[in-house]
Amino acid sequence: MPKDTFFNLPEEKRQRIIEAAIDEFATHPFQQARVTAIADQAGIAKGSFYQYFADKKDLYTYLMGLMFQKKISYLNQDLMENRGKYPFFQLLREVFISGIRFAKENPRLVPIGMMLVNDKQLYHEIFGHYEDASIEFFRKMLEEAKDQGEIDPVIDPKLAATMLIGMLYSLTDFLIEDGKLDLDDMAIIDQMLYFAENGLKKKD
Amino acid sequence: MPKDTFFNLPEEKRQRIIEAAIDEFATHPFQQARVTAIADQAGIAKGSFYQYFADKKDLYTYLMGLMFQKKISYLNQDLMENRGKYPFFQLLREVFISGIRFAKENPRLVPIGMMLVNDKQLYHEIFGHYEDASIEFFRKMLEEAKDQGEIDPVIDPKLAATMLIGMLYSLTDFLIEDGKLDLDDMAIIDQMLYFAENGLKKKD
DNA sequence: CTACAATATGAATGTGCGGTCATATGAATG
DNA sequence: CATTCATATGACCGCACATTCATATTGTAG
């Protein structure tokens, strides 16, 4: 957690620091991200940085928290709270839509998330030692849908969850990185769902 | 390219160096990988390292080349050379099989590849500035299959290629990382194909 | 043996960066 | 004003590491 001094800062200055940090962490993995660069960019002295944060990781962890909250806020609250009441593929659509929308509206946050996911060690230091939360999330959804007879019984939920996450990650990355696709966002979502639905749905 | 002195080395010593490098690069991203660790592990003096390689990147680039060759060697030569003659889903099965087999037999190489893919900057320095080769490879296969009427005309080849790669990457990573899946390799491949086939195939 | 070239070695060099610290500035209080 | 407390600052320290270099060792040819 940042120190009190950080939260006592005028809103504007705090934002400058956060923005500078996002810039730096979006372009450099944690270890290579430079405190000096963040301080310079934010227009504060390096020493001041350590008035606000215990160290580099302190800021990083705080940022990850903000990001996580923001990501969550893109999910339709009603759908998520009453998961059981909605058909699986509608939930899946909602998750895809919010994922893409988040990525489009916060392009700088995407690479930060990617880098964290790829640094297993750091990931565990920050989020603790449990299975990747997003895989678990999808796995549970699939498990329930399977019980409801919505998806093909031969599908292994954990494997399918891994594949869905993989699709979503690599697509998000792709869209942000070079994003040359002659489709608008909704067409992309439709195709992903079409693909996933035909791949997973219970056959008659 | 390594210097002549490296290739003049007795086979056994050269192997030791390569193995040491693989160990180091499998556990540390390029920037954090230490020349000292490689030299120590290989049992050579640090100075000797620079008799063989211009610098750290020289060795790394060389390693990536070896890895690429090795990966290619897992593909069924006949199938690849006569791509046009085989049905798309058979080719896809072959690519999946060789990918998983490569990963299972060379587990230390997988994280190295993952880290490289995730370091866009380094990736481009090493492989040049063209589109991700594996996406292109899948995209072409899909394009051809679409012309043959094997896959659903609504599918966008580039998007589908991105999704397939994503599935394959994340699955490979998953298998190597913690790999707790109650399925054997063939069952995994079958499910991936089942998923992909139903998702992509032309509907009657 | 000798002389020359190729290779091996690890101490020394240089650099970049995270984190510390003594000091300065300024706001608030009385 | 004078005192105190919170915040700001950038020079400085220590360390880790890639790379260099002067020197030693080994191999080879005549």
Side-chain angles (χ1 to χ4, degrees), chain A:
Chain A
M1 260 297 122
K3 303 178 184 174
D4 286 346
T5 45
F6 179 67
F7 295 108
N8 293 339
L9 251 32
E11 175 67 17
E12 186 271 331
K13 193 169 188 178
R14 225 180 318 149
Q15 276 315 313
R16 248 167 41 220
I17 295 172
I18 290 178
E19 289 301 310
I22 290 178
D23 277 351
E24 182 68 5
F25 287 122
T27 47
H28 304 85
F30 178 76
Q31 302 281 359
Q32 281 157 261
R34 295 173 317 131
V35 169
T36 310
I38 295 173
D40 286 357
Q41 172 77 26
I44 61 171
K46 199 157 59 144
S48 301
F49 180 93
Y50 290 93
Q51 301 278 12
Y52 309 144
F53 307 98
D55 52 28
K56 186 164 68 157
K57 190 144 84 188
D58 187 20
L59 163 59
Y60 186 77
T61 306
Y62 173 66
L63 258 194
M64 290 308 99
L66 290 183
M67 209 171 117
F68 187 72
Q69 274 188 295
K70 184 148 206 163
K71 174 101 197 207
I72 293 287
S73 78
Y74 274 75
L75 280 168
N76 178 319
Q77 249 15 69
D78 166 56
L79 275 188
M80 286 308 123
E81 276 161 23
N82 307 295
R83 284 206 270 145
K85 297 186 194 150
Y86 294 94
F88 173 74
F89 290 106
Q90 187 177 345
L91 292 175
L92 190 61
R93 159 171 243 111
E94 173 60 26
V95 173
F96 280 4
I97 288 177
S98 72
I100 301 272
R101 198 159 60 83
F102 174 80
K104 285 272 179 173
E105 291 176 14
N106 305 277
R108 287 179 312 159
L109 298 186
V110 174
I112 302 184
M114 291 310 239
M115 290 183 212
L116 178 55
V117 166
N118 287 316
D119 190 333
K120 297 282 192 301
Q121 164 126 38
L122 188 60
Y123 182 90
H124 285 138
E125 279 175 34
I126 289 179
F127 285 115
H129 220 307
Y130 57 135
E131 301 209 63
D132 186 325
S134 42
I135 288 195
E136 261 315 284
F137 176 77
F138 275 86
R139 195 188 61 65
K140 278 215 189 77
M141 268 175 64
L142 283 157
E143 203 90 68
E144 288 165 19
K146 200 170 163 182
D147 291 343
Q148 300 292 318
E150 290 183 278
I151 69 168
D152 197 315
V154 305
I155 295 290
D156 179 274
K158 189 157 184 182
L159 175 60
T162 306
M163 292 191 294
L164 286 175
I165 295 280
M167 279 169 53
L168 195 51
Y169 274 12
S170 89
L171 184 69
T172 308
D173 187 41
F174 178 83
L175 283 179
I176 298 308
E177 278 303 317
D178 17 43
K180 301 279 169 16
L181 216 50
D182 308 321
L183 300 166
D184 66 21
D185 295 357
M186 269 310 156
I188 291 172
I189 305 234
D190 285 339
Q191 288 223 6
M192 285 180 71
L193 266 163
Y194 177 87
F195 184 111
E197 248 185 271
N198 285 303
L200 297 174
K201 201 170 48 186
K202 184 167 186 182
K203 318 291 182 293
D204 309 304

Side-chain angles (χ1 to χ4, degrees), chain B residues 77-96:
Chain B
Q77 251 11 73
D78 165 56
L79 274 187
M80 287 306 123
E81 276 160 23
N82 306 294
R83 283 206 271 146
K85 297 185 194 152
Y86 293 94
F88 173 74
F89 290 105
Q90 188 177 342
L91 292 175
L92 191 60
R93 161 171 241 109
E94 173 60 27
V95 173
F96 280 3

